[in-house]
Amino acid sequence: MDSATGDTEDTPSAVARQLLERVRREQPTEAHEQALAAFDERALTEIRTDRQTALAFWLNVYNAGAQLLLDRRPALFESRWRFFRATAVTVAGIDVSLDDIEHGLMRNRQSKYGLGYLPRLARCGFDAAYRLPVDPRIHFALNCGAASCPAILSYDAATVDQALDDATEQYLAQHVHYDAATDRVRVPRVCLWFIGDFGGPAGLRAFLRDHDQIPRGASPSLSFDGYDWTRVPRRFDMGE
């Protein structure tokens, strides 16, 4: 396989990133999909044991899988319930949906309902060793093809935290609006859907302060914009 990364070419993390890059360039992806499906549990050791590797891996797998699903089964997007539950990609012989990746693995088996406070009852094929601690920054990195989704980045383990910070700050800068006169801040709808991931309203305000969206010491009232589910063309921000 060709590689645009410094990773060893046949590692799961390298294959996931290459898959996303090929999706971006509208190149054939079958060989990379087959490689991803063919890995065994031993090959996924780092995905189970290293947070940064796992975080970059699942971000890339989700974003590649979403675009492949949109290309191959576009009608599913009209029924979001079906779209997010359909098999998007196969990893180590296990079929996974976008919901499996985001809520079963990246959100440590938390429900997509209940504002981020309820456990997810559905199971995916990967056991607890693969689950990641909840990191609210992923909500500004996962793209399902809707107009309100963030741009798609390519992630690697060595820089994933900085890249997630950059993606978060870019998205918040575009979508957060603070009115000092009324001491009110409008934030993206996703912040309401998963407000528990941020630590509740107080945690969300702290998150906004940490990302320079409201002044230090400010505690404004919160309002939440709507979410635009209009399907849009692929929106990548990956560099050449």
Side-chain angles (χ1 to χ4, degrees):
M1 294 180 190
D2 59 336
S3 175
T5 75
D7 293 328
T8 304
E9 292 186 4
D10 60 354
T11 64
S13 58
V15 171
R17 182 167 180 175
Q18 292 159 18
L19 174 62
L20 181 58
E21 290 170 347
R22 294 185 76 84
V23 169
R24 175 207 178 201
R25 297 185 176 98
E26 299 184 358
Q27 297 173 333
T29 60
E30 288 78 8
H32 290 75
E33 292 178 76
Q34 291 168 8
L36 202 59
F39 286 119
D40 59 19
E41 187 172 354
R42 181 177 179 182
L44 297 183
T45 298
E46 255 195 309
I47 309 301
R48 293 193 302 275
T49 60
D50 184 80
R51 182 193 67 87
Q52 291 173 302
T53 299
L55 193 54
F57 176 80
W58 291 116
L59 285 167
N60 291 334
V61 169
Y62 181 102
N63 285 330
Q67 294 302 317
L68 291 171
L69 197 58
L70 287 166
D71 286 347
R72 294 167 181 172
R73 303 181 68 186
L76 283 180
F77 193 73
E78 301 305 317
S79 172
R80 293 192 293 274
W81 188 91
R82 293 172 60 214
F83 176 75
F84 286 104
R85 287 164 176 76
T87 296
V89 69
T90 302
V91 178
I94 298 172
D95 294 338
V96 287
S97 68
L98 299 180
D99 273 357
D100 289 334
I101 297 170
E102 180 177 4
H103 309 297
L105 298 170
M106 300 195 75
R107 296 185 59 242
N108 195 21
R109 205 176 169 201
Q110 295 296 302
S111 174
K112 64 190 296 182
Y113 307 108
L115 305 181
Y117 293 108
L118 298 176
R120 184 177 191 245
L121 300 180
R123 297 179 180 272
C124 67
F126 290 96
D127 64 31
Y130 289 90
R131 296 180 204 155
L132 287 162
V134 174
D135 185 334
R137 297 176 301 171
I138 68 167
H139 299 305
F140 312 107
L142 298 175
N143 182 298
C144 69
S148 286
C149 287
I152 301 171
L153 301 175
S154 178
Y155 294 91
D156 63 58
T159 59
V160 65
D161 282 302
Q162 184 59 58
L164 267 179
D165 278 341
D166 292 344
T168 297
E169 288 171 9
Q170 180 184 56
Y171 191 84
L172 294 179
Q174 294 173 348
H175 296 278
V176 173
H177 306 280
Y178 173 63
D179 186 340
T182 61
D183 196 29
R184 189 175 187 84
V185 62
R186 285 176 27 228
V187 297
R189 195 72 177 181
V190 70
C191 296
L192 173 62
W193 292 339
F194 304 109
I195 198 166
D197 291 8
F198 295 88
L204 176 56
R205 292 186 187 94
F207 187 86
L208 294 172
R209 285 192 290 269
D210 288 344
H211 290 279
D212 299 320
Q213 296 303 310
I214 58 176
R216 295 287 172 183
S219 186
S221 59
L222 300 166
S223 65
F224 301 91
D225 287 335
Y227 202 84
D228 187 348
W229 285 101
T230 304
R231 183 179 169 185
V232 296
R234 297 172 181 178
R235 194 166 65 254
F236 285 87
D237 182 13
M238 296 170 59
E240 290 292 339

